[in-house]
Amino acid sequence: MASVQNSYEPQRFSVIHPLDDVAEQKCSSDGLGQIAMTRAVRISLGVLRAYLVLMTLMLCYRVLQLAGVLR
Amino acid sequence: MRLEKVELAAGSVLGADPALDIVSPSDAGSATKEKGITVRHGWQRHLLTFLMVFGPGLIVMEADNDAGAVSTYMQAGGQYGLHLLWLLVVLLPICYFVQEMVARLGIATGKGHAAMIYERFGKWWGHFSLFDLMLVNFLTLITEFAAISLALSALGVSPYIAVPVAALGLTLMVITGSYLRWERIVIALCLMDLTWFWLAYKVHPEWASVARNTVVPTMPAGGIASSLIFLVIAIVGTTIAPWQLFFQQSCVAEKRLRFADLKWARLDTLIGSVFTVCVAGAMMLVGNFGFQHGIVFQDPAQFAGAVLPMLGHVTRNAILLLMVNAAVLGTTAISLASAWAYGEVKGWERSLHKNLREAPGFYATYISCVGAAAAFVLVPHVPLQLVILSVQVFAGVILPSAIIFLQLLLNDRELLGERWVNRPWNNFINWTIIVVLFALSLLLAAQVMLPNLFN
């Protein structure tokens, strides 16, 4: 006759701090090289370049104006 | 997507949710007993896990309410009363959505933002972003020390004592060799900002008017003037700063948050966003007291001095000390953002877990940033208020570039795979945010090129 064991044991949860936990598999860029230059990426970076140059010049102008250097 | 090899520690139970492993009583011993905490109820494990993950989201948001932000929000209240309160409500979801993406990218890759830009967009963009970040951060640090100098001068402490002591304290805060120690100190400083709510209550604003202006945009007297546009851009620039993207991603990587922690990191970020916007609103209400009583002020220290006869010493000192607290919070977070980013690009050891000897370049960057900004402020006749406002605007102009990199990285399927990339609705929201930021910056450009356009 098969014996039936009382297998009930209260559930417990172990909560581990992230700093104490084991390392996790992360998404790595090793061996991937640079991002694929899709059309969207190319356009975004091109617009960004132009924008940054324009904005920086204008902002410098504005700051100098506020500082009283330019009248 | 490539996956790195991992080592499994003995006694750990890896499941779908590694942060919340269910263990049998017999398994609860060994490694987990040493490093984990065993609880009996589901709600306890959720609460405990949240508390363990909690930190980076609150810190990055509240540190953004730095000295420049205190000045900008109080100026907004002082110049336009309650009319710009609605802008904070608009900025709340923007803050959250941007920082949620940062947290997601940090958890997915375990690396900082500077490292990801460098690896995926090449050296040119990597160095460009790093240079931008270091420049804006350094200018911002000047404003932080300027605020410390101003506030403590008003309390009778010489800047030549206050600024070096503050710089020393900020250095000691990070060189303890423990991330958690630094995090706990900074969270305590964040919670001190609760005092702003008491101050807002004490200045007795018309609460009905506060509620109305929070949900209904109203036009201030004078209409759309150039000063209003400049201030709106300054508020946007101070509420969403480029260093935040770099800081939170590096912080998440430093804390080694796991995939399963993402939901708690999101909650942390949401709580941080709401808390920060509410504190910013309280600052505006305090500034509104000046608007109501015709007090003209250039900075919060001047405001604190002007309200002394009406509100008393406690209020005055509270404003000045909160200004110092904001500057300290901002300085430690911004300097760390710089140190982490520089270390990532240089490939240095970069961690608060390491001591000075183990990560010399990382700590040298932090100390150099703090020391140089502190020294700059001690130079006589620096136009402080101009620097403060200009930095906020400059950060608002640079921000779109940092967000574009974030957006492109979160659409990088080769790197992230389908699990972590933006969903279409993420992309819709983020592109909308980018367009809004570009539009505000273009308004600034129009104001610069055609200064009489809005007058």
Side-chain angles (χ1 to χ4, degrees):
Chain A
M1 190 175 79
S3 63
V4 178
Q5 287 185 323
N6 182 3
S7 61
Y8 173 77
E9 288 177 285
Q11 239 184 15
R12 289 197 205 170
F13 306 97
S14 176
V15 185
I16 306 170
H17 194 282
L19 289 171
D20 296 327
D21 208 353
V22 291
E24 201 172 43
Q25 291 179 327
K26 299 287 189 186
C27 305
S28 171
S29 61
D30 290 348
L32 289 181
Q34 292 191 13
I35 194 167
M37 277 292 153
T38 60
R39 195 176 167 201
V41 174
R42 218 172 22 247
I43 290 172
S44 299
L45 295 182
V47 170
L48 182 59
R49 259 193 211 103
Y51 167 82
L52 285 175
V53 169
L54 185 68
M55 287 297 118
T56 306
L57 290 174
M58 286 179 174
L59 198 70
C60 290
Y61 175 81
R62 175 67 174 162
V63 170
L64 291 173
Q65 192 184 40
L66 286 173
V69 177
L70 300 176
R71 294 185 190 282
Chain B
M1 179 174 66
R2 289 167 63 90
L3 300 175
E4 292 171 343
K5 287 183 180 176
V6 294
E7 292 176 3
L8 301 182
S12 67
V13 184
L14 289 181
D17 197 349
L20 307 172
D21 289 333
I22 300 173
V23 295
S24 68
S26 55
D27 288 335
S30 64
T32 52
K33 196 169 186 178
E34 287 169 20
K35 294 194 169 182
I37 298 172
T38 304
V39 294
R40 288 174 180 276
H41 303 288
W43 68 268
Q44 288 175 323
R45 72 174 187 178
H46 289 312
L47 180 63
L48 204 53
T49 309
F50 168 67
L51 290 175
M52 286 176 175
V53 171
F54 183 70
L58 177 75
I59 292 170
V60 73
M61 292 297 182
E62 197 48 31
D64 191 44
N65 273 345
D66 61 352
V70 175
S71 181
T72 307
Y73 294 134
M74 287 187 69
Q75 280 289 341
Q79 288 180 25
Y80 296 102
L82 304 173
H83 286 290
L84 293 177
L85 271 176
W86 62 272
L87 186 59
L88 297 175
V89 179
V90 173
L91 289 173
L92 171 62
I94 297 177
C95 280
Y96 172 74
F97 282 121
V98 171
Q99 293 304 132
E100 184 276 334
M101 288 195 296
V102 172
R104 184 152 39 97
L105 189 59
I107 287 175
T109 62
K111 289 180 179 174
H113 200 50
M116 293 316 304
I117 293 172
Y118 193 81
E119 288 175 14
R120 296 302 279 158
F121 294 94
K123 286 182 183 177
W124 195 90
W125 281 115
H127 284 119
F128 171 81
S129 299
L130 185 65
F131 174 77
D132 273 350
L133 179 76
M134 300 294 281
L135 176 67
V136 176
N137 282 2
F138 180 69
L139 289 172
T140 311
L141 286 176
I142 293 171
T143 69
E144 310 298 357
F145 279 105
I148 290 172
S149 174
L150 270 176
L152 291 179
S153 291
L155 287 169
V157 183
S158 164
Y160 295 99
I161 295 171
V163 171
V165 167
L168 182 66
L170 281 156
T171 302
L172 293 175
M173 195 193 288
V174 298
I175 59 170
T176 61
S178 165
Y179 167 83
L180 286 179
R181 199 171 296 134
W182 171 84
E183 189 186 73
R184 283 166 191 156
I185 293 170
V186 176
I187 286 175
L189 294 176
C190 289
L191 294 179
M192 282 187 193
D193 276 349
L194 287 167
T195 313
W196 280 108
F197 297 124
W198 173 75
L199 283 176
Y201 172 76
K202 201 162 182 226
V203 297
H204 303 299
E206 292 174 28
W207 291 109
S209 183
V210 170
R212 193 171 55 251
N213 281 287
T214 301
V215 292
V216 182
T218 51
M219 190 62 67
I224 302 176
S226 61
S227 58
L228 175 64
I229 293 170
F230 200 63
L231 196 55
V232 167
I233 296 172
I235 290 173
V236 174
T238 198
T239 311
I240 309 159
W243 66 262
Q244 290 181 276
L245 310 186
F246 293 82
F247 175 85
Q248 191 174 5
Q249 197 173 327
S250 296
C251 203
V252 161
E254 171 95 19
K255 201 168 179 179
R256 299 177 207 155
L257 295 190
R258 302 148 297 197
F259 296 154
D261 295 329
L262 179 60
K263 58 177 177 280
W264 303 117
R266 282 175 170 152
L267 182 59
D268 176 28
T269 305
L270 181 65
I271 289 171
S273 308
V274 172
F275 183 62
T276 299
V277 162
C278 290
V279 169
M283 291 173 189
M284 247 186 223
L285 295 190
V286 175
N288 175 56
F289 183 82
F291 180 74
Q292 287 176 321
H293 293 81
I295 300 168
V296 179
F297 58 96
Q298 295 297 315
D299 57 67
Q302 209 176 51
F303 174 85
V307 299
L308 175 63
M310 290 171 270
L311 299 174
H313 283 279
V314 174
T315 304
R316 168 187 171 266
N317 293 347
I319 292 171
L320 294 172
L321 290 175
L322 285 173
M323 199 173 156
V324 174
N325 186 48
V328 167
L329 270 173
T331 304
T332 191
I334 292 166
S335 302
L336 269 179
S338 292
W340 270 324
Y342 201 69
E344 285 160 16
V345 171
K346 291 285 178 190
W348 291 341
E349 194 67 66
R350 52 188 186 279
S351 173
L352 290 172
H353 305 298
K354 307 286 182 185
N355 61 35
L356 274 168
R357 287 184 182 176
E358 292 170 320
F362 169 71
Y363 286 111
T365 308
Y366 180 94
I367 294 167
S368 301
C369 290
V370 170
F376 188 87
V377 167
L378 293 177
V379 175
H381 311 302
V382 176
L384 297 175
Q385 189 60 26
L386 179 66
V387 172
I388 287 171
L389 209 55
S390 299
V391 166
Q392 303 304 335
V393 175
F394 191 59
V397 170
I398 293 297
L399 182 66
S401 67
I403 291 195
I404 278 188
F405 285 124
L406 181 66
Q407 170 74 346
L408 294 176
L409 283 167
L410 278 156
N411 281 284
D412 188 352
R413 284 181 161 71
E414 197 182 11
L415 171 69
L416 299 177
E418 289 299 323
R419 182 178 176 189
W420 301 101
V421 291
N422 273 352
R423 300 287 172 262
W425 66 268
N426 282 127
N427 281 330
F428 174 77
I429 289 171
N430 204 30
W431 282 120
T432 306
I433 291 169
I434 290 170
V435 167
V436 169
L437 290 172
F438 268 77
L440 285 174
S441 300
L442 283 173
L443 275 174
L444 174 68
Q447 183 203 13
V448 171
M449 294 177 78
L450 304 165
N452 296 322
L453 186 65
F454 301 104
N455 291 330

